[in-house]
Amino acid sequence: MTSSPIPRLRLLAGPSPSHLTDISALVNTAQPHTIQSDRFIGRVVVHIKGFPGADESEYFEREDRRGITWSIQVQGRFLQPHSADDVLFGNTFDRPLKLPWGSSAALTFMHFIDPTLEHDLPGPKPWALSPLITTMPHFVHQELSTQNAPLPPFPPPAPESIKDDTKLLCKRIGEVRFASDLAHGYVDGNGNGRGSEVPRLTKASKRRAYFANPKNRHEITFGPKDVLTTDFCYGFLSFPSLALNIPGGISFDLKKYWDGQPVRFVCVDRQRSGRDQDKGGDDEDEDDNMFWCVVVEAAED
């Protein structure tokens, strides 16, 4: 049986689907592309192993990134306050997906690596979204001294990789809890309250497990001085063959099912998107609810 032809691809990035820049030439260079709007300011770096026309990246040779085949790294800050529960990351599509037989196994695998994932993949405008703070394999939180201070260096100089760092976030959780205890009269004469119970999220698995609880996500608000640096990277998708391989020996040739429509990796506002994870929904205008967007699409001949 002959395989489907390998499509030519291009990569775009921007603050929304209507404001995208072709960044294909930056793939695997570690050179950041700036994304800026009235809602978000930041930078993106993309590495894709086997991306057509791009040199191979040393990123994939790092000891802590062995087996990884693609990486979307983003650093930035939100220009208005947003609850950690309202900042979502995932995929959106314009048209129904042609889902292959056995796709339920892929969804089971996705839920295994990210239990907070919600989706409507069989719908007319499919989507799959999770809270950014729980779905990111690597997540760093930093605080700027002022809103106008420059962003920290990005990406880390090779061969360093983005590694989880939530020490300041844990400290803030303690402060939020102590303020709540003080307001409700739960602080004892020694000044001790629930705020002393600060979680120790020393690695990604602890961070993801802790913030899987919506109550814990609601305790945190990201404001204009909060800088988030993330690396969304996995090894189950191979380029340029577009082969999806998941544990258990299950694989799909995605070229057979992809109709060429853009595959968007998006960071959106839950409150404005209408995609409340408890009830689903469609958005009226994606530009209005989006912080940033990275798109893989078929290149024109």
Side-chain angles (χ1 to χ4, degrees):
M1 183 173 61
T2 59
S3 61
S4 302
I6 295 176
R8 293 180 60 240
L9 304 173
R10 68 172 184 163
L11 196 79
L12 305 99
S16 70
S18 298
H19 299 85
L20 295 172
T21 300
D22 190 335
I23 63 167
S24 302
L26 299 183
V27 173
N28 293 347
T29 67
Q31 182 176 339
H33 171 74
T34 298
I35 296 176
Q36 186 168 0
S37 69
D38 60 357
R39 311 190 69 224
F40 176 85
I41 181 169
R43 299 173 286 188
V44 59
V45 165
V46 179
H47 296 278
I48 299 177
K49 194 171 186 177
F51 189 79
D55 293 334
E56 284 302 329
S57 170
E58 60 77 32
Y59 173 93
F60 301 109
E61 301 303 319
R62 300 175 189 175
E63 189 64 33
D64 59 356
R65 294 298 191 267
R66 292 290 175 90
I68 296 298
T69 56
W70 56 282
S71 160
I72 299 175
Q73 302 172 38
V74 177
Q75 179 193 76
R77 59 189 183 90
F78 306 108
L79 302 185
Q80 296 85 31
H82 296 280
S83 162
D85 187 58
D86 289 333
V87 179
L88 306 180
F89 173 81
N91 299 103
T92 63
F93 302 87
D94 291 328
R95 301 188 297 274
L97 296 173
K98 185 180 176 183
L99 298 176
W101 179 88
S103 58
S104 60
L107 288 174
T108 299
F109 171 66
M110 291 165 62
H111 277 287
F112 174 75
I113 62 176
D114 180 8
T116 62
L117 174 73
E118 296 290 341
H119 70 87
D120 182 20
L121 291 179
K125 295 187 68 175
W127 57 270
L129 296 166
S130 307
L132 179 138
I133 199 169
T134 61
T135 196
M136 284 294 166
H138 308 282
F139 178 97
V140 176
H141 168 259
Q142 297 165 282
E143 293 182 13
L144 298 178
S145 56
T146 67
Q147 292 187 24
N148 297 322
L151 293 172
F154 172 83
E160 295 182 24
S161 301
I162 295 169
K163 297 180 176 64
D164 252 58
D165 186 346
T166 55
K167 293 188 292 293
L168 292 178
L169 206 57
C170 292
K171 178 183 177 183
R172 184 177 298 179
I173 292 170
E175 293 170 349
V176 168
R177 290 181 173 180
F178 185 82
S180 176
D181 286 351
L182 191 62
H184 291 87
Y186 297 149
V187 177
D188 62 26
N190 295 320
N192 296 318
R194 191 169 60 106
S196 60
E197 303 171 6
V198 178
R200 296 188 62 199
L201 311 179
T202 53
K203 54 185 179 179
S205 59
K206 291 185 177 182
R207 183 248 309 160
R208 299 177 80 171
Y210 179 82
F211 286 110
N213 186 334
K215 179 176 177 291
N216 293 337
R217 296 197 298 269
H218 281 289
E219 285 187 326
I220 292 297
T221 297
F222 297 126
K225 293 198 295 184
D226 293 299
V227 178
L228 306 185
T229 305
T230 59
D231 187 358
F232 189 73
C233 58
Y234 285 104
F236 50 78
L237 183 61
S238 299
F239 292 85
S241 62
L242 297 183
L244 176 66
N245 301 286
I246 59 178
I250 301 173
S251 62
F252 301 99
D253 181 358
L254 297 184
K255 299 188 301 298
K256 295 181 179 179
Y257 307 98
W258 184 39
D259 63 1
Q261 70 168 307
V263 178
R264 291 190 292 261
F265 294 85
V266 302
C267 182
V268 300
D269 182 349
R270 180 201 297 269
Q271 293 295 328
R272 295 173 63 125
S273 71
R275 289 190 175 101
D276 190 306
Q277 287 182 302
D278 293 330
K279 59 187 179 184
D282 293 322
D283 53 33
E284 294 283 329
D285 186 348
E286 280 200 307
D287 283 14
D288 289 342
N289 69 72
M290 200 164 292
F291 299 113
W292 54 263
C293 178
V294 175
V295 179
V296 179
E297 67 178 22
E300 297 179 358
D301 293 327

Short mmCIF file of all heavy atoms in Angstrom, two decimals, residues 86 88 120 127 129 268-286 288-290:
data_model
loop_
_atom_site.label_atom_id
_atom_site.label_comp_id
_atom_site.label_asym_id
_atom_site.label_seq_id
_atom_site.Cartn_x
_atom_site.Cartn_y
_atom_site.Cartn_z
N ASP A 86 -8.34 30.66 33.81
CA ASP A 86 -8.90 31.23 32.58
C ASP A 86 -7.92 31.24 31.41
O ASP A 86 -8.31 31.55 30.28
CB ASP A 86 -9.41 32.65 32.83
CG ASP A 86 -10.66 32.66 33.68
OD1 ASP A 86 -11.39 31.67 33.66
OD2 ASP A 86 -10.89 33.67 34.37
N LEU A 88 -6.06 29.29 28.85
CA LEU A 88 -6.13 27.96 28.28
C LEU A 88 -5.15 27.82 27.11
O LEU A 88 -4.87 28.80 26.41
CB LEU A 88 -7.54 27.65 27.77
CG LEU A 88 -8.69 27.82 28.75
CD1 LEU A 88 -10.02 27.47 28.08
CD2 LEU A 88 -8.48 26.96 29.99
N ASP A 120 -13.93 19.13 22.02
CA ASP A 120 -15.07 18.81 21.16
C ASP A 120 -14.51 18.51 19.78
O ASP A 120 -14.75 19.24 18.81
CB ASP A 120 -16.06 19.98 21.12
CG ASP A 120 -17.28 19.66 20.25
OD1 ASP A 120 -17.54 18.46 20.01
OD2 ASP A 120 -17.97 20.60 19.80
N TRP A 127 -12.14 21.63 18.83
CA TRP A 127 -11.17 22.25 19.72
C TRP A 127 -10.79 21.27 20.82
O TRP A 127 -11.54 20.34 21.15
CB TRP A 127 -11.72 23.54 20.34
CG TRP A 127 -13.02 23.37 21.10
CD1 TRP A 127 -14.28 23.48 20.60
CD2 TRP A 127 -13.17 23.06 22.49
NE1 TRP A 127 -15.22 23.26 21.58
CE2 TRP A 127 -14.56 23.01 22.75
CE3 TRP A 127 -12.27 22.83 23.53
CZ2 TRP A 127 -15.07 22.72 24.02
CZ3 TRP A 127 -12.77 22.55 24.79
CH2 TRP A 127 -14.16 22.51 25.02
N LEU A 129 -8.68 21.93 24.58
CA LEU A 129 -8.03 22.96 25.40
C LEU A 129 -7.86 22.48 26.84
O LEU A 129 -8.67 21.70 27.35
CB LEU A 129 -8.87 24.25 25.40
CG LEU A 129 -9.02 24.96 24.05
CD1 LEU A 129 -10.13 26.00 24.14
CD2 LEU A 129 -7.71 25.60 23.63
N VAL A 268 -5.67 31.03 24.83
CA VAL A 268 -6.91 31.81 24.80
C VAL A 268 -7.43 32.10 26.20
O VAL A 268 -7.05 31.46 27.18
CB VAL A 268 -8.01 31.11 23.98
CG1 VAL A 268 -7.57 30.87 22.54
CG2 VAL A 268 -8.40 29.77 24.63
N ASP A 269 -8.34 33.06 26.27
CA ASP A 269 -9.01 33.46 27.49
C ASP A 269 -10.32 32.68 27.61
O ASP A 269 -11.21 32.82 26.78
CB ASP A 269 -9.28 34.97 27.44
CG ASP A 269 -9.92 35.50 28.71
OD1 ASP A 269 -10.36 34.70 29.56
OD2 ASP A 269 -10.02 36.74 28.83
N ARG A 270 -10.45 31.86 28.65
CA ARG A 270 -11.66 31.07 28.83
C ARG A 270 -12.90 31.95 28.92
O ARG A 270 -13.94 31.66 28.33
CB ARG A 270 -11.55 30.23 30.11
CG ARG A 270 -12.78 29.36 30.37
CD ARG A 270 -12.88 28.96 31.83
NE ARG A 270 -11.79 28.13 32.28
CZ ARG A 270 -11.79 26.81 32.25
NH1 ARG A 270 -12.82 26.17 31.74
NH2 ARG A 270 -10.76 26.13 32.71
N GLN A 271 -12.78 33.06 29.66
CA GLN A 271 -13.95 33.91 29.90
C GLN A 271 -14.51 34.50 28.61
O GLN A 271 -15.71 34.69 28.46
CB GLN A 271 -13.59 35.03 30.88
CG GLN A 271 -13.27 34.55 32.28
CD GLN A 271 -14.47 33.93 32.96
OE1 GLN A 271 -15.60 34.31 32.73
NE2 GLN A 271 -14.23 32.93 33.80
N ARG A 272 -13.62 34.82 27.66
CA ARG A 272 -14.07 35.46 26.43
C ARG A 272 -14.29 34.48 25.30
O ARG A 272 -14.97 34.80 24.32
CB ARG A 272 -13.04 36.51 25.99
CG ARG A 272 -12.90 37.66 26.96
CD ARG A 272 -11.75 38.57 26.56
NE ARG A 272 -12.01 39.17 25.25
CZ ARG A 272 -11.99 40.48 25.03
NH1 ARG A 272 -11.77 41.30 26.04
NH2 ARG A 272 -12.18 40.96 23.83
N SER A 273 -13.74 33.27 25.43
CA SER A 273 -13.83 32.33 24.33
C SER A 273 -15.17 31.61 24.28
O SER A 273 -15.58 31.11 23.25
CB SER A 273 -12.71 31.28 24.42
OG SER A 273 -12.95 30.40 25.49
N GLY A 274 -15.87 31.53 25.44
CA GLY A 274 -17.10 30.75 25.48
C GLY A 274 -16.85 29.26 25.59
O GLY A 274 -17.78 28.48 25.61
N ARG A 275 -15.57 28.86 25.69
CA ARG A 275 -15.27 27.44 25.79
C ARG A 275 -15.07 27.07 27.26
O ARG A 275 -14.01 26.63 27.67
CB ARG A 275 -14.03 27.08 24.97
CG ARG A 275 -14.27 27.13 23.47
CD ARG A 275 -13.08 26.52 22.76
NE ARG A 275 -13.33 26.45 21.34
CZ ARG A 275 -12.84 27.30 20.45
NH1 ARG A 275 -12.11 28.30 20.85
NH2 ARG A 275 -13.11 27.16 19.17
N ASP A 276 -16.09 27.29 28.06
CA ASP A 276 -16.03 26.86 29.44
C ASP A 276 -15.92 25.34 29.45
O ASP A 276 -16.70 24.64 28.84
CB ASP A 276 -17.29 27.30 30.19
CG ASP A 276 -17.17 27.08 31.68
OD1 ASP A 276 -16.86 25.94 32.07
OD2 ASP A 276 -17.40 28.04 32.44
N GLN A 277 -14.93 24.83 30.15
CA GLN A 277 -14.67 23.40 30.11
C GLN A 277 -15.79 22.58 30.71
O GLN A 277 -15.84 21.37 30.55
CB GLN A 277 -13.36 23.08 30.82
CG GLN A 277 -12.14 23.52 30.01
CD GLN A 277 -10.87 23.15 30.72
OE1 GLN A 277 -10.64 23.55 31.84
NE2 GLN A 277 -10.04 22.37 30.07
N ASP A 278 -16.71 23.22 31.44
CA ASP A 278 -17.82 22.46 31.99
C ASP A 278 -18.95 22.29 30.99
O ASP A 278 -19.79 21.43 31.13
CB ASP A 278 -18.37 23.16 33.25
CG ASP A 278 -17.36 23.13 34.38
OD1 ASP A 278 -16.58 22.16 34.43
OD2 ASP A 278 -17.36 24.07 35.19
N LYS A 279 -18.99 23.13 29.95
CA LYS A 279 -20.14 23.06 29.07
C LYS A 279 -19.80 23.19 27.60
O LYS A 279 -20.68 23.04 26.75
CB LYS A 279 -21.14 24.15 29.45
CG LYS A 279 -20.58 25.58 29.38
CD LYS A 279 -21.58 26.57 29.93
CE LYS A 279 -21.04 28.00 29.90
NZ LYS A 279 -21.95 28.96 30.52
N GLY A 280 -18.53 23.48 27.27
CA GLY A 280 -18.16 23.60 25.86
C GLY A 280 -18.77 24.83 25.24
O GLY A 280 -19.38 25.67 25.90
N GLY A 281 -18.61 24.98 23.91
CA GLY A 281 -19.20 26.12 23.24
C GLY A 281 -18.36 26.55 22.06
O GLY A 281 -17.27 26.05 21.83
N ASP A 282 -18.88 27.47 21.29
CA ASP A 282 -18.18 27.99 20.12
C ASP A 282 -17.88 29.45 20.35
O ASP A 282 -18.62 30.18 20.99
CB ASP A 282 -19.05 27.86 18.86
CG ASP A 282 -19.27 26.40 18.49
OD1 ASP A 282 -18.31 25.62 18.65
OD2 ASP A 282 -20.38 26.06 18.07
N ASP A 283 -16.78 29.93 19.78
CA ASP A 283 -16.45 31.34 19.94
C ASP A 283 -16.95 32.13 18.74
O ASP A 283 -17.00 31.67 17.63
CB ASP A 283 -14.95 31.56 20.14
CG ASP A 283 -14.12 30.92 19.06
OD1 ASP A 283 -14.58 30.85 17.90
OD2 ASP A 283 -13.01 30.49 19.38
N GLU A 284 -17.32 33.37 19.01
CA GLU A 284 -17.83 34.25 17.96
C GLU A 284 -16.68 34.83 17.15
O GLU A 284 -16.75 34.97 15.95
CB GLU A 284 -18.64 35.38 18.61
CG GLU A 284 -19.91 34.91 19.29
CD GLU A 284 -21.02 34.60 18.31
OE1 GLU A 284 -21.07 35.24 17.25
OE2 GLU A 284 -21.82 33.70 18.60
N ASP A 285 -15.63 35.19 17.83
CA ASP A 285 -14.51 35.85 17.15
C ASP A 285 -13.23 35.48 17.86
O ASP A 285 -12.93 35.98 18.94
CB ASP A 285 -14.73 37.36 17.17
CG ASP A 285 -13.69 38.11 16.35
OD1 ASP A 285 -12.68 37.50 15.95
OD2 ASP A 285 -13.88 39.30 16.13
N GLU A 286 -12.45 34.58 17.25
CA GLU A 286 -11.24 34.10 17.91
C GLU A 286 -10.24 35.20 18.17
O GLU A 286 -9.47 35.13 19.13
CB GLU A 286 -10.61 32.99 17.08
CG GLU A 286 -11.28 31.65 17.25
CD GLU A 286 -10.39 30.50 16.83
OE1 GLU A 286 -9.89 30.54 15.71
OE2 GLU A 286 -10.18 29.59 17.65
N ASP A 288 -10.67 38.06 19.37
CA ASP A 288 -10.97 38.79 20.59
C ASP A 288 -10.58 38.04 21.86
O ASP A 288 -10.44 38.65 22.92
CB ASP A 288 -12.47 39.13 20.66
CG ASP A 288 -12.86 40.20 19.65
OD1 ASP A 288 -11.96 40.91 19.17
OD2 ASP A 288 -14.06 40.32 19.35
N ASN A 289 -10.46 36.72 21.78
CA ASN A 289 -10.19 35.96 23.00
C ASN A 289 -8.78 35.38 23.04
O ASN A 289 -8.43 34.69 23.97
CB ASN A 289 -11.20 34.83 23.15
CG ASN A 289 -11.02 33.73 22.12
OD1 ASN A 289 -10.07 32.96 22.18
ND2 ASN A 289 -11.93 33.63 21.17
N MET A 290 -7.95 35.68 22.04
CA MET A 290 -6.66 35.01 21.92
C MET A 290 -5.51 35.87 22.43
O MET A 290 -5.50 37.08 22.25
CB MET A 290 -6.42 34.62 20.46
CG MET A 290 -5.38 33.53 20.29
SD MET A 290 -5.45 32.79 18.63
CE MET A 290 -7.04 31.94 18.71
#
